[in-house]
Amino acid sequence: MLLVLNELSYRETKARREEVSDSLHGFVRLLRKVRQHRTDVALVTERRFFDLDLGDDYSVREWAGDGRNRDAMRYLRGMNQRAPFREVAPADLRDGTEYFHEEQAAEGLGTAHQVGGLAVSLPLAQPWEETSLRLSQRGLAENDAGTVTLTETEVDVRHASRAAHVDRHRQWLCDSELTRIHTGAELWEAREDIFPHLRFLPRVAGDLHRLAPAWLQPVKERLAELELTVADWVPSAEAAPQWRSKVTPESESRKALCRFVDTDGQAHLFDWHARFTPRAGRLHFRMDGARQQFVIAYIGAKLT
């Protein structure tokens, strides 16, 4: 699991050196708390952690040279570390999508969102005291009419700057099955355990085995949303559930593209679809109210 250090939390800080030093000790306590729940943790930074500058006149290297910080430094050296941000984001995502926090470019926070990780910060300013941060995601995407347009979407990223914040993410951190899935093939193998309210047509195995790396995280997110949606759905009380992302039926002119043969040997209409990016990704399914489940028929590029 990736912990991505938010560069906005330290680059332009005006905090005194003592405050910055205290925040680094608190950062180590945060890392220790996370590793109580997950051992497969790597810290991702904009460049090598020990080369980071902390404001205008302080650096990690200078902090590390203070003997009072020896134990904390030893712990940080023992962490699995990766840098820069671009090395962990999927190649076809990192050049087409930008993220902003309060109109400031936020590469670290955006990387955490792209890889489904946890954004972490030094608690040197009030904005970093939250356990979830709202970002503006901007990029190019193809709409239903086939036109490429500039899109802007608000997204949330999990966040922690203090050890106490880790408790807010405990369930997510302990949900190792989904977060440890790194390929579409692994997602297919784990589908019944992770998504008990979703049934997948056998043909979807091929879709997931061919899934582009950049689509893995958004597909996991859409499937997780559908699982929660159908689990809360009461078919006897409502014809359709309350969706957690944009889900619509296909237009009449395109419904012929949405017929797939189910396990009963009959062709059924799977015109309900969720969207994912980059480009025009689609996840087609039908609702089975009698069994309170969604049946997934297709995951991939927009049907043509």
Side-chain angles (χ1 to χ4, degrees):
M1 190 195 73
L2 300 180
L3 305 181
V4 187
L5 182 59
N6 167 27
E7 75 281 6
L8 299 180
S9 69
Y10 59 81
R11 266 190 191 168
E12 300 178 8
T13 181
K14 303 301 181 184
R16 302 189 312 274
R17 289 187 173 207
E18 294 80 5
E19 293 177 285
V20 176
S21 180
D22 288 345
S23 76
L24 286 166
H25 283 277
F27 185 62
V28 170
R29 289 193 292 272
L30 185 158
L31 297 177
R32 289 182 184 275
K33 188 70 173 290
V34 170
R35 293 178 79 180
Q36 290 176 7
H37 302 286
R38 294 288 297 270
T39 58
D40 60 330
V41 171
L43 177 64
V44 183
T45 50
E46 59 176 332
R47 58 182 186 274
R48 290 181 68 251
F49 182 80
F50 303 107
D51 293 334
L52 296 179
D53 293 320
L54 306 170
D56 295 331
D57 63 349
Y58 201 31
S59 67
V60 171
R61 196 170 296 280
E62 191 173 356
W63 175 81
D66 187 330
R68 293 172 295 180
N69 304 322
R70 186 177 296 111
D71 289 344
M73 199 63 205
R74 185 179 297 116
Y75 185 84
L76 288 166
R77 287 189 184 279
M79 283 284 298
N80 183 15
Q81 299 187 25
R82 298 175 67 179
F85 296 141
R86 292 173 61 86
E87 293 305 310
V88 301
D92 47 354
L93 256 184
R94 64 192 181 204
D95 294 324
T97 306
E98 295 180 308
Y99 291 82
F100 296 83
H101 178 265
E102 297 182 355
E103 294 306 315
Q104 282 189 291
E107 189 177 359
L109 296 176
T111 299
H113 181 263
Q114 288 178 332
V115 301
L118 177 67
V120 291
S121 297
L122 300 187
L124 296 171
Q126 187 59 38
W128 319 128
E129 295 292 346
E130 305 296 328
T131 57
S132 178
L133 297 176
R134 179 63 53 88
L135 308 179
S136 172
Q137 180 193 55
R138 302 170 190 174
L140 300 176
E142 182 181 338
N143 61 24
D144 288 341
T147 303
V148 176
T149 60
L150 179 65
T151 64
E152 181 171 355
T153 307
E154 287 191 338
V155 298
D156 294 318
V157 62
R158 300 178 187 88
H159 177 258
S161 63
R162 300 182 184 275
H165 292 168
V166 176
D167 290 335
R168 174 66 178 79
H169 304 294
R170 182 181 301 169
Q171 182 176 351
W172 172 73
L173 287 167
C174 294
D175 186 11
S176 59
E177 289 188 277
L178 189 56
T179 55
R180 292 187 183 184
I181 287 175
H182 302 298
T183 67
E186 291 176 359
L187 187 58
W188 171 257
E189 292 301 322
R191 68 195 185 284
E192 293 180 355
D193 294 328
I194 302 174
F195 309 118
H197 294 88
L198 305 182
R199 179 167 64 83
F200 294 74
L201 297 192
R203 67 159 312 284
V204 179
D207 293 343
L208 291 178
H209 278 76
R210 292 187 297 270
L211 194 67
W215 274 351
L216 178 62
Q217 183 59 32
V219 165
K220 289 197 294 185
E221 290 176 359
R222 293 294 88 78
L223 290 171
E225 290 168 355
L226 291 177
E227 170 63 29
L228 292 173
T229 296
V230 69
D232 291 340
W233 182 33
V234 182
S236 61
E238 50 188 358
Q242 299 297 311
W243 304 112
R244 287 171 164 77
S245 62
K246 186 174 182 180
V247 173
T248 58
E250 193 60 86
S251 63
E252 289 295 330
S253 62
R254 291 176 47 81
K255 284 189 176 181
L257 298 171
C258 307
R259 290 194 172 276
F260 296 90
V261 177
D262 207 332
T263 53
D264 61 2
Q266 302 298 313
H268 294 268
L269 183 63
F270 293 83
D271 66 324
W272 286 96
H273 60 283
R275 296 160 172 80
F276 53 90
T277 57
R279 301 184 301 277
R282 297 291 187 268
L283 190 159
H284 280 264
F285 64 97
R286 67 182 178 92
M287 296 184 284
D288 185 346
R291 295 179 174 82
Q292 193 176 349
Q293 65 178 201
F294 295 160
V295 185
I296 312 298
Y298 175 81
I299 300 173
K302 179 180 176 182
L303 292 167
T304 58

